[in-house]
Amino acid sequence: MRSTALAGLTVLALLADTTAMAQETPPSPVGPTSLGTGGLAPPGGQVRDSGAVLLPRGPVLDEIVDGSVELPSSGGARQADSASQQPTTSGQLVPVRLRTASGRGTTVAGRSRPLFDRQGIRTGSFLFLPTVTANVGATSNIFKQPDGSGDAFGEIGATAALRSDLTRHAIDADLAVNSRTYLDNSSEDAVTYAGRIGGRYDISRGDSLSFDVRREHQLIDRGAVGEVLLTREPIRYDFTGVAVGARNTMGRLVVSLDGQIGRFDYKSAETVDGLRLDQDFRDFNFYEARVDVGYTTGAATVFGSIGGELRRFDGDPLINRDSDVVEVIAGIRGETNALWRGQIGIGYLRGQFKDPNVDAISGVALDVSVEYLATELTTFRLGARRRLQNVGSAISAASLVTEVSAGVDHELLRNLIVSGGVGYQFADFIAADGSSDRAVADVTARYLMNQRWRLNANVGVSRRENRQGLIGDFQEVRGTIGVNYGI
């Protein structure tokens, strides 16, 4: 049996180099909204493995990554599509954010706790926030199969965040690395990483330019609704993206223009019989632009946005996957009152495919992310999204995914936060008969020992029914427990 400590030494060595990379780490995206999954997340809402590392979310409606903390954003396109993850995910390592607010009017996750909040290492106008996490866990169905077997694992991860504290402008960076080793199934061992750098240039009060550059190496979750392939090892992919944005404020009227380009490069895998399974048909570039107009009334903003996305695949001998997507959304965001905040957006989504044998699809577009501060100790969360997503089937152009999630964060003690979440996804495959749905639920507890040490525990269940491809229905129970150290 290989020791997770050896993998951990590799991670820590990478962390030691993060000071040199501080000038090339991640920022925040570029605008209040973004097409598809938004920001530099996979435009198709690529579902990452539960051991993936995630970087900061976007500005207005950031979803809580693990039910408790998130990074601040310098403003811009939203990062990951958390609804495509499980409602709360314990395996993702994200640096703690800088909290400033306290008391009623702030969420349980965002509330300041001076006795337990990390202080970081200050260097001039910059704050450096490093963390290291070690977890052990077990799963009842490692391969996500109808007759799947269980296994135990250990993982170690590290994150490093750099935040500026300038009177004008902003620059920030993030690096995250995670290494996981299984007890009996080495095929599932993996190291994932993600890095980003970004910033904001303030032209005047209310007017700014922003940018975001990031690079990721991730795993695809075997249990994702779009995965239909049986492989010896999880499929890996690299993502590279660049986003820019501009914001102009004219009294109560705010206009944002965002654009981004990116590429997904999937690594070939092997079938269970050892045959090469080429994944080049999934590689693609995307080009995205969005205009968002908002009118502020008090703490809330009424908005409307229109965005377009072009996906251009490297080529597929069976079907032309190239597509043009348009999404129009309107709604309200911000704080509707002292207890409700977030975004409710509804509109129209249309995808036009280049293949003459694939019909265009259209329907209702959803972009909902709401928090309700029920009491000073309890915050409820609700999310919904509808989008086009890339799939692993060579005979399907894409899938139309509808997803909803709900969660709650409760402050049992000042230093003990318990979170629960449920989520449901339904994927309808395009140009191929079949569909898939997945339901998940989990509970997470975080104990803040002091400003540096934290204990975390998570248990979750997942169920998927698949009606396309070679992967059958499955159920899984998964649990982790770990310790986190940060400065």
Side-chain angles (χ1 to χ4, degrees):
M1 180 184 74
R2 288 159 302 158
S3 169
T4 57
L6 181 60
L9 291 177
T10 303
V11 176
L12 294 177
L14 290 172
L15 179 61
D17 293 333
T18 56
T19 52
M21 294 188 62
Q23 302 304 319
E24 53 183 57
T25 350
S28 44
V30 211
T33 61
S34 182
L35 183 64
T37 61
L40 287 177
Q46 181 61 69
V47 180
R48 299 175 175 85
D49 175 77
S50 60
V53 289
L54 292 185
L55 293 176
R57 309 261 170 169
V60 180
L61 303 172
D62 303 337
E63 303 229 13
I64 297 174
V65 175
D66 60 1
S68 54
V69 293
E70 68 201 46
L71 281 174
S73 175
S74 59
R78 295 174 308 171
Q79 211 293 60
D81 177 17
S82 68
S84 70
Q85 318 292 325
Q86 297 184 9
T88 60
T89 47
S90 63
Q92 294 156 356
L93 309 177
V94 182
V96 58
R97 82 174 184 181
L98 311 177
R99 300 182 180 88
T100 56
S102 62
R104 191 66 180 270
T106 62
T107 63
V108 170
R111 182 169 304 137
S112 175
R113 298 175 176 86
L115 295 178
F116 306 101
D117 291 344
R118 285 167 177 161
Q119 305 302 305
I121 302 171
R122 181 165 292 282
T123 303
S125 297
F126 290 89
L127 191 65
F128 180 59
L129 292 147
T131 72
V132 178
T133 300
N135 295 321
V136 293
T139 171
S140 66
N141 194 342
I142 185 173
F143 296 110
K144 311 291 195 299
Q145 290 296 301
D147 55 351
S149 59
D151 201 353
F153 62 88
E155 62 184 355
I156 186 167
T159 65
L162 185 70
R163 297 289 174 265
S164 65
D165 185 19
L166 306 171
T167 55
R168 291 187 61 194
H169 318 307
I171 187 167
D172 55 27
D174 296 273
L175 177 68
V177 184
N178 190 77
S179 177
R180 179 186 294 172
T181 304
Y182 282 87
L183 183 64
D184 297 323
N185 296 276
S186 61
S187 64
E188 304 305 291
D189 297 352
V191 174
T192 55
Y193 62 83
R196 61 170 287 277
I197 182 171
R200 187 191 70 250
Y201 177 78
D202 297 323
I203 301 172
S204 61
R205 184 177 180 84
D207 300 331
S208 63
L209 302 174
S210 56
F211 77 96
D212 185 292
V213 180
R214 69 182 64 219
R215 171 77 174 181
E216 300 181 12
H217 177 73
Q218 305 283 11
L219 299 180
I220 295 179
D221 185 355
R222 286 183 180 272
V225 291
E227 290 307 298
V228 298
L229 303 174
L230 286 172
T231 58
R232 277 189 172 180
E233 298 179 350
I235 295 174
R236 293 159 170 80
Y237 71 90
D238 292 328
F239 169 70
T240 305
V242 179
V244 295
R247 178 185 177 93
N248 178 242
T249 303
M250 298 167 285
R252 294 179 177 271
L253 189 66
V254 180
V255 179
S256 299
L257 176 63
D258 306 313
Q260 65 173 312
I261 59 175
R263 177 171 176 80
F264 287 87
D265 185 8
Y266 293 81
K267 308 306 177 184
S268 294
E270 290 184 353
T271 67
V272 292
D273 298 322
L275 301 177
R276 186 175 185 272
L277 193 60
D278 197 328
Q279 295 293 291
D280 288 346
F281 72 92
R282 303 176 74 166
D283 297 345
F284 70 99
N285 301 317
F286 72 91
Y287 312 88
E288 186 177 311
R290 176 172 290 274
V291 177
D292 183 279
V293 179
Y295 184 80
T296 302
T297 58
T301 298
V302 178
F303 75 93
S305 65
I306 181 170
E309 178 192 314
L310 307 181
R311 301 181 192 177
R312 296 296 181 261
F313 289 80
D314 290 356
D316 189 331
L318 299 178
I319 190 171
N320 185 352
R321 293 180 163 214
D322 293 352
S323 61
D324 300 339
V325 183
V326 175
E327 182 186 60
V328 181
I329 291 282
I332 187 170
R333 69 166 68 101
E335 299 183 13
T336 55
N337 56 43
L339 303 181
W340 289 90
R341 63 192 54 187
Q343 171 172 302
I344 299 176
I346 188 170
Y348 175 77
L349 174 70
R350 179 178 174 82
Q352 181 74 47
F353 296 92
K354 298 300 183 181
D355 194 310
N357 297 316
V358 179
D359 295 334
I361 64 162
S362 60
V364 176
L366 295 173
D367 192 352
V368 177
S369 179
V370 176
E371 294 176 322
Y372 174 64
L373 287 65
T375 70
E376 293 182 1
L377 303 179
T378 305
T379 301
F380 290 94
R381 295 172 276 111
L382 179 66
R385 194 74 173 103
R386 200 157 191 251
R387 55 187 168 71
L388 274 181
Q389 178 176 297
N390 193 12
V391 296
S393 172
I395 61 172
S396 177
S399 64
L400 181 61
V401 177
T402 303
E403 52 196 26
V404 293
S405 62
V408 59
D409 304 316
H410 180 70
E411 187 178 287
L412 195 62
L413 300 173
R414 189 62 171 171
N415 61 334
L416 178 58
I417 297 95
V418 178
S419 302
V422 295
Y424 176 78
Q425 292 178 308
F426 178 81
D428 187 10
F429 291 85
I430 298 169
D433 294 333
S435 61
S436 178
D437 67 276
R438 185 179 185 183
V440 297
D442 73 351
V443 177
T444 300
R446 167 164 293 150
Y447 179 67
L448 312 178
M449 301 174 64
N450 51 46
Q451 289 183 335
R452 297 197 173 186
W453 290 96
R454 288 151 190 212
L455 299 178
N456 306 287
N458 171 273
V459 61
V461 296
S462 177
R463 177 200 58 79
R464 188 185 69 179
E465 294 183 0
N466 195 57
R467 293 164 290 278
Q468 212 278 338
L470 302 176
I471 296 181
D473 303 344
F474 79 87
Q475 294 181 348
E476 179 193 23
V477 179
R478 187 184 192 91
T480 61
I481 185 170
V483 61
N484 175 272
Y485 176 82
I487 299 176

